[in-house]
């Protein structure tokens, strides 16, 4: 079974949906590590409740991105992590992790990329008045939400939506899309490795 690390900075609802999919057996993977850059993030409590090891670090304690990514990489290797799943990790990855995990890092973003990259994609879509937005799962490169797209799911913006209602439906979509796409990806990785 493939061993994955989830990187997250916030509430961790996607972390939770991935862990639950592994427990149900619909996602054949083991979540071996949570990597988090915020000491008080709710996702840490979720990981502790699930008995999943946590690496928490404060980027301000390091002089460069490479310095803290080396620390992360060491832990990933010690835990035999084979694949990185970003789920609300609020930082760009640097060359240390990108080079070590080439083609094995994915992210989820709450818009139909390339529309509305960056922060507050849901607010951006709402402000723009689009009638359809959605969710994208994509490979990660050095840019902000720019890597090759793997899968997308559309979410309609309803006439009486406010930002919170739209966010709730987008998150619901994320929680089904991400585990499904990961399962498909891991299946195809298995095939390519044989
Ligand atoms: C999600 O909307 C995800 O698309 C974005 O950050 C948010 C994380 O939410 N990258 P959560 O922490 O998983 O609840």
């Amino acid at each position: 079974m493939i061993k994955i690390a989830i990187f997250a900075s916030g509430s961790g609802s996607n972390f939770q949906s991935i862990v639950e999919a592994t427990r149900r057996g619909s996602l054949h993977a083991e979540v071996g590590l949570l990597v988090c850059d915020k000491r008080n993030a709710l996702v840490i409590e979720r990981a502790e409740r699930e008995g999943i090891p946590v690496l928490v670090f404060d980027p301000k304690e390091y002089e460069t991105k490479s310095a803290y990514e080396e620390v992360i990489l060491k832990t990933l290797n010690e835990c035999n992590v084979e694949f990185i799943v970003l789920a609300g990790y609020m930082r760009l990855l640097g060359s240390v992790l990108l080079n070590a995990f080439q083609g094995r890092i994915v992210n989820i973003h709450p818009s139909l990329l390339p529309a509305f990259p960056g922060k507050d994609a849901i607010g951006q879509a709402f402000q723009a008045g689009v009638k359809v937005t959605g969710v994208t799962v994509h490979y990660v490169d050095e840019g902000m939400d720019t890597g090759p797209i793997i899968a997308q799911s559309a979410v309609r913006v309803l006439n009486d939506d406010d930002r919170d209602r739209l966010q709730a439906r987008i998150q619901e979509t994320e929680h089904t899309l991400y585990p499904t796409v990961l399962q498909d990806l891991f299946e195809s990785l298995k095939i390519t490795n044989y």
Side-chain angles (χ1 to χ4, degrees):
M1 189 143 36
I2 189 164
K3 203 162 181 187
I4 68 175
I6 300 179
F7 285 40
S9 310
S11 92
S13 67
N14 281 281
F15 170 88
Q16 191 75 47
S17 71
I18 293 167
V19 170
E20 280 168 16
T22 65
R23 303 256 191 265
R24 273 199 311 273
S26 57
L27 173 57
H28 299 141
E30 179 189 345
V31 181
L33 185 69
L34 166 71
V35 176
C36 182
D37 60 345
K38 293 226 165 56
R39 290 198 190 280
N40 53 0
L42 178 62
V43 68
I44 295 176
E45 281 171 41
R46 293 186 194 262
E48 285 169 352
R49 218 178 300 141
E50 297 286 348
I52 291 168
V54 178
L55 171 66
V56 57
F57 70 99
D58 182 351
K60 288 200 283 300
E61 289 172 5
Y62 298 86
E63 286 200 352
T64 61
K65 185 178 291 245
S66 294
Y68 68 71
E69 286 200 344
E70 289 289 356
V71 174
I72 297 173
L73 182 57
K74 189 164 169 282
T75 312
L76 294 173
N77 288 336
E78 282 165 3
C79 295
N80 298 315
V81 166
E82 300 162 85
F83 201 97
I84 296 176
V85 173
L86 306 186
Y89 182 64
M90 300 302 283
R91 298 181 174 274
L92 290 180
L93 291 193
S95 55
V96 170
L97 290 175
L98 289 171
N99 290 339
F101 280 83
Q102 249 174 29
R104 290 178 295 143
I105 312 176
V106 294
N107 181 42
I108 189 159
H109 183 77
S111 77
L112 294 175
L113 289 171
F116 312 126
K119 281 192 184 152
D120 194 20
I122 299 168
Q124 289 184 56
F126 196 70
Q127 283 301 320
V130 294
K131 296 298 171 204
V132 179
T133 181
V135 176
T136 302
V137 178
H138 65 96
Y139 287 108
V140 171
D141 62 15
E142 60 288 343
M144 172 97 78
D145 306 317
T146 49
I149 290 170
I150 302 166
Q152 294 187 306
S153 187
V155 175
R156 283 182 59 207
V157 184
L158 305 177
N159 287 338
D160 60 349
D161 260 348
D162 58 21
R163 198 198 161 288
D164 288 352
R165 273 200 294 266
L166 178 59
Q167 173 163 337
R169 287 205 317 287
I170 286 187
Q171 289 208 319
E172 225 173 87
T173 304
E174 290 187 330
H175 300 160
T176 19
L177 184 71
Y178 214 4
T180 311
V181 170
L182 289 173
Q183 176 57 25
D184 288 350
L185 264 181
F186 299 156
E187 277 294 319
S188 63
L189 281 180
K190 235 178 6 195
I191 293 161
T192 357
N193 283 342
Y194 286 130

